[in-house]
Amino acid sequence: MLNIVSVGDPKNPTLIIAHGLFGSAKNWGVLCKRLSDKWYVIAVDMRNHGGSKFYPVHNYEAMAEDLQKIVKIQGVDCSILGHSMGGKAAMFFALEQPKMVSKLIVIDIAPVKYSHSQNNIIEALQNINLEFVKSRKDADVQLASFLGDHQLRAFLLQSLELKDGVFWKLNLPVLKEYMRDIMGFPSTTKIFKGKTLLVVGENSNYVSSDDEVVMHKRFSEMKTVVISDAGHWVHAEKPKELENTIRKFLAN
């Protein structure tokens, strides 16, 4: 069962948000709150993340089924927004169940195979001795020995539970086992003809021009918006610009 965080009036159009690898629904809290003036926003803790159940399987077929269950509960067409891993899950869901997706927003990811495995991050998290951790600062001191990027460490440490014991709210063994699936994308010839928005960070290297060509073949009504001076974490780096882009797309 997936943990969700909903905000806004359920009578308004529904927008479901799927986060990326190592993320959680709370990463999107500010944007959800701002968009809740006109949309009923449901942020999802994807399987094996956050407050959602830990499952032995982690691939896009399973994640698409998870999203389908949430849409069925709403009983209406929903717009889906997905970032990175969540974007791939959203794309596969739209391809498999096009009648259930009103509009699709994909943030800085393409339906292609990537080569940059994230297993080094998983191994770094697994190497933290949680017996000596009483605060995020304690964990950060240890994590700094493995990961030099302070912003990355701060993001990862949001998934460290401290209130009810000390543990990672990430199913690290399963995520590591399914890293090849996470970096890839299921083979399909299906096409989604609904309105699709691809949002790309100007400084990101996640979506190439060739990737856009591939994506256009699967999402025939796709348009692309580039957010200036933003990298892969568009929602964290340029939240206002992303909010305005989302509003404009959903309103039309």
Side-chain angles (χ1 to χ4, degrees), residues 18-230:
H19 64 76
L21 183 62
F22 306 128
S24 68
K26 68 180 181 181
N27 299 150
W28 291 81
V30 173
L31 190 61
C32 289
K33 187 175 181 180
R34 294 185 66 89
L35 291 172
S36 68
D37 61 337
K38 292 188 177 181
W39 290 274
Y40 179 53
V41 187
I42 299 175
V44 181
D45 276 340
M46 303 295 279
R47 60 170 48 211
N48 297 312
H49 290 74
S52 288
K53 182 179 176 180
F54 281 11
Y55 292 87
V57 174
H58 196 94
N59 56 34
Y60 291 112
E61 290 88 347
M63 284 184 269
E65 287 183 11
D66 291 340
L67 293 176
Q68 180 178 342
K69 290 176 183 176
I70 294 173
V71 172
K72 282 185 175 180
I73 291 173
Q74 299 309 303
V76 294
D77 287 345
C78 300
S79 293
I80 312 288
L81 179 155
H83 171 248
S84 201
M85 178 192 75
K88 284 189 171 184
M91 283 188 279
F92 190 65
F93 172 50
L95 290 169
E96 290 295 302
Q97 302 291 341
K99 294 181 179 179
M100 298 181 73
V101 179
S102 178
K103 292 182 180 180
L104 175 66
I105 302 173
V106 179
I107 300 183
D108 210 59
I109 202 73
V112 300
K113 180 180 179 180
Y114 288 80
S115 59
H116 48 276
S117 169
Q118 304 294 325
N119 278 335
N120 64 311
I121 291 177
I122 293 177
E123 291 166 3
L125 298 181
Q126 290 177 321
N127 279 322
I128 302 302
N129 190 336
L130 297 178
E131 291 184 8
F132 296 97
V133 172
K134 294 183 179 180
S135 67
R136 282 188 171 79
K137 184 177 180 180
D138 292 340
D140 188 50
V141 170
Q142 291 191 54
L143 195 56
S145 300
F146 304 99
L147 300 173
D149 188 330
H150 173 73
Q151 286 186 323
L152 174 60
R153 296 199 309 272
F155 165 69
L156 294 169
L157 288 170
Q158 291 183 49
S159 291
L160 179 64
E161 174 62 41
L162 294 167
K163 293 181 180 179
D164 300 314
V166 180
F167 57 90
W168 293 107
K169 295 165 70 174
L170 298 164
N171 192 346
L172 297 174
V174 167
L175 294 177
K176 185 175 183 179
E177 179 184 354
Y178 279 86
M179 188 56 65
R180 182 175 294 181
D181 293 83
I182 295 169
M183 294 296 100
F185 192 79
S187 177
T188 178
T189 58
K190 295 181 179 179
I191 296 174
F192 179 67
K193 298 180 180 179
K195 289 187 176 180
T196 302
L197 174 67
L198 171 63
V199 179
V200 178
E202 180 186 26
N203 301 330
S204 173
N205 62 357
Y206 273 70
V207 182
S208 68
S209 56
D210 289 340
D211 293 339
E212 280 194 64
V213 172
V214 171
M215 195 165 171
H216 264 294
K217 293 179 180 178
R218 292 283 170 265
F219 303 90
S220 58
E221 296 301 313
M222 187 188 85
K223 71 173 186 176
T224 303
V225 171
V226 178
I227 303 293
S228 299
D229 199 30

